[in-house]
Amino acid sequence: MKNLLVSLDRLADFDEIIDVRTPLEFADDHIPGAINAPVLSNEERVLVGTMYKQVSPFEASRVGAALVARNIAQHLDTTFAGRPRNWRPLIYCWRGGTRSGSVTTVFSMIGWQARQLEGGYKTYRRATLDTLDHLPTTFRYIALTGPTGSGKTRLLHALREAGAQTLDLEQLAAHRGSLLGALPGEPQPSQKWFDTLLVGALRSFDPARPVFVEAESRRIGAISLPLALVESFHRGACVEVEASREDRATFLLHDYAHLFQRPESFKEQLSRLIGLHSRERVSGWHALIDAGREAELARELIDLHYDPAYARSSRQNFSELSRATHMLFRPNGADVVEQARALLARLDSARSAERPPVSPPITPA
C-alpha cells in the first residue's frame, strides 16, 4: 500500500479528491473541492466505535468492514458509475487509515489510478494551521477603523468593487462582529472551515498590493482569528471612517431591521449588556423597543454603548491609529463606489509622496 500513498503537495495531480469520512466530519471541514463519499454514515461510525470499546476490537472491525464494503459498492453503482478508465482520484479519511485505504485498494483493483493521501485530513489540517502562522504576515494591510454604524463593511464592499484587494472577515465568519452581529438564519461556520476559507482568501491576494480589512478584535462571534493575522493588521496603516450621527443611526436602523422584527429576541440580546450597563439603562432600551422608538434606540446605542466601546478598543489595538487617513463617509448614499475610488486615489497619492524621488542616471561625460 505504501506505493499508493501521496503527500499533500500533490493535490493538483488528481482529477478528483474524495473525502470518505462521515457527513458530519466533512461538514466540519474538508479539503476545498473535495466531494463526500462516506464509507460509514454518522450513525454507523458511532456504532463501530461503541462496539470497539464495549464488545471487542475484532467484532468492531468485522462489522465495520461489512459496512464499508456495502457502502463502497453503493458508491460504485451511483456516485462513481460514470468515471472513465483513466480517472485519477485522491482519497482521504481522518488520518490516512483503514477507511481511505479500503477505497484506494478497491479503486486500484478496478483499474483506476487511485491514491491515498498520506496522513489524511490530519495532515491537511496541520498544514492549514502552519499556513495561518506565516501567510498573513506576507501582506500589507490597511484597516478600516471607525465606530459602529459608520459603514465600514459597506465601504469594504465598495473598495472591492472599485478594484481593491479586500479581506471580508465578517463574510467568512457569517457574523457582523458585535453583540448584535448574528446573521438571521445563517449559522457561523466551524472554526476549522473558517480557517480553510481564510487560507483560500489569503492565497488569492497579490502581496505587492495592499489588502483592505475591516478593524476586528480577535473574535468574530464564535470564530477566533489567527494571531498572526490580527497582529499584522493591528499594526498596519489605518483609514478612520467617519460618518454623521444621523447617517450612522439611519445605517443601524437598516442593519438592525431583522432585530426589530423579533423584539423579544432583540431584548434578550441587549440583556447580555447588563454588567457593561446598568439594569435600568438596559430596561430603558427594552422600553424603546416595545414602544417602536427605533431611531431613538439606535441613537442611544451609538452614544452610550458603541462609541465608548470603540474609543477603548481602538486605542488599545491599532498602533497606527494616530496617523490614520480620515474619511468622511456617506454610507447610505448611492455613490459609495465613487467614494471608495476617491479614497484609493488619496491613498495612492499619499504613498507616492512618501517615496523618495528617483535620481536620473548619471551620464558619463
Side-chain angles (χ1 to χ4, degrees), residues 11-148:
L11 292 182
D13 295 348
F14 295 89
D15 299 323
E16 211 160 359
I17 302 172
I18 314 299
D19 185 326
V20 299
R21 298 175 303 154
T22 63
L24 277 176
E25 292 172 287
F26 183 82
D28 190 48
D29 187 31
H30 55 270
I31 296 175
I35 67 167
N36 189 210
V39 294
L40 291 174
S41 68
N42 298 326
E43 297 76 15
E44 288 167 346
R45 185 169 184 244
V46 171
L47 171 66
V48 172
T50 302
M51 289 187 68
Y52 187 94
K53 293 179 180 178
Q54 297 183 1
V55 182
S56 73
F58 171 78
E59 279 301 307
S61 296
R62 185 186 64 79
V63 170
L67 292 170
V68 167
R70 280 195 288 270
N71 288 327
I72 291 175
Q74 183 180 12
H75 289 311
L76 288 172
D77 287 338
T78 55
T79 308
F80 306 120
R83 299 303 190 270
R85 179 182 295 181
N86 61 350
W87 183 48
R88 296 173 303 165
L90 176 64
I91 298 137
Y92 73 93
C93 60
W94 169 247
R95 62 178 184 275
T98 304
R99 286 185 287 177
S100 56
S102 301
V103 177
T104 304
T105 299
V106 171
F107 282 15
S108 297
M109 291 174 66
I110 290 170
W112 287 323
Q113 299 171 46
R115 295 294 183 269
Q116 181 183 15
L117 177 62
E118 188 170 14
Y121 168 79
K122 289 181 70 175
T123 294
Y124 166 75
R125 176 62 180 163
R126 189 161 51 247
T128 298
L129 294 176
D130 289 345
T131 299
L132 290 175
D133 280 341
H134 68 83
L135 183 59
T137 66
T138 62
F139 301 104
R140 177 170 63 90
Y141 298 95
I142 299 177
L144 303 181
T145 65
T148 297

Side-chain angles (χ1 to χ4, degrees), residues 87-223:
W87 183 48
R88 296 173 303 165
L90 176 64
I91 298 137
Y92 73 93
C93 60
W94 169 247
R95 62 178 184 275
T98 304
R99 286 185 287 177
S100 56
S102 301
V103 177
T104 304
T105 299
V106 171
F107 282 15
S108 297
M109 291 174 66
I110 290 170
W112 287 323
Q113 299 171 46
R115 295 294 183 269
Q116 181 183 15
L117 177 62
E118 188 170 14
Y121 168 79
K122 289 181 70 175
T123 294
Y124 166 75
R125 176 62 180 163
R126 189 161 51 247
T128 298
L129 294 176
D130 289 345
T131 299
L132 290 175
D133 280 341
H134 68 83
L135 183 59
T137 66
T138 62
F139 301 104
R140 177 170 63 90
Y141 298 95
I142 299 177
L144 303 181
T145 65
T148 297
S150 57
K152 298 184 294 294
T153 302
R154 186 163 294 179
L155 176 58
L156 189 72
H157 295 170
L159 286 165
R160 180 178 59 205
E161 195 170 338
Q165 292 190 135
T166 61
L167 177 58
D168 193 341
L169 294 169
E170 293 184 1
Q171 182 183 56
L172 296 180
H175 197 281
R176 292 195 180 104
S178 67
L179 173 73
L180 305 175
L183 301 180
E186 187 174 351
Q188 288 195 261
S190 70
Q191 180 68 54
K192 292 176 181 178
W193 183 235
F194 172 84
D195 292 344
T196 286
L197 294 174
L198 179 57
V199 167
L202 291 170
R203 283 179 171 158
S204 72
F205 295 143
D206 177 0
R209 300 172 58 210
V211 175
F212 288 85
V213 61
E214 189 172 344
E216 304 286 355
S217 61
R218 183 78 197 276
R219 291 182 68 83
I220 302 178
I223 295 295

Side-chain angles (χ1 to χ4, degrees), residues 2 8 10 42 115 169 172 263-264 279 286 310 320:
K2 281 194 174 181
L8 188 64
R10 290 187 55 193
N42 298 326
R115 295 294 183 269
L169 294 169
L172 296 180
E264 293 308 313
R279 289 183 179 275
H286 289 179
Y310 169 71
E320 295 296 306

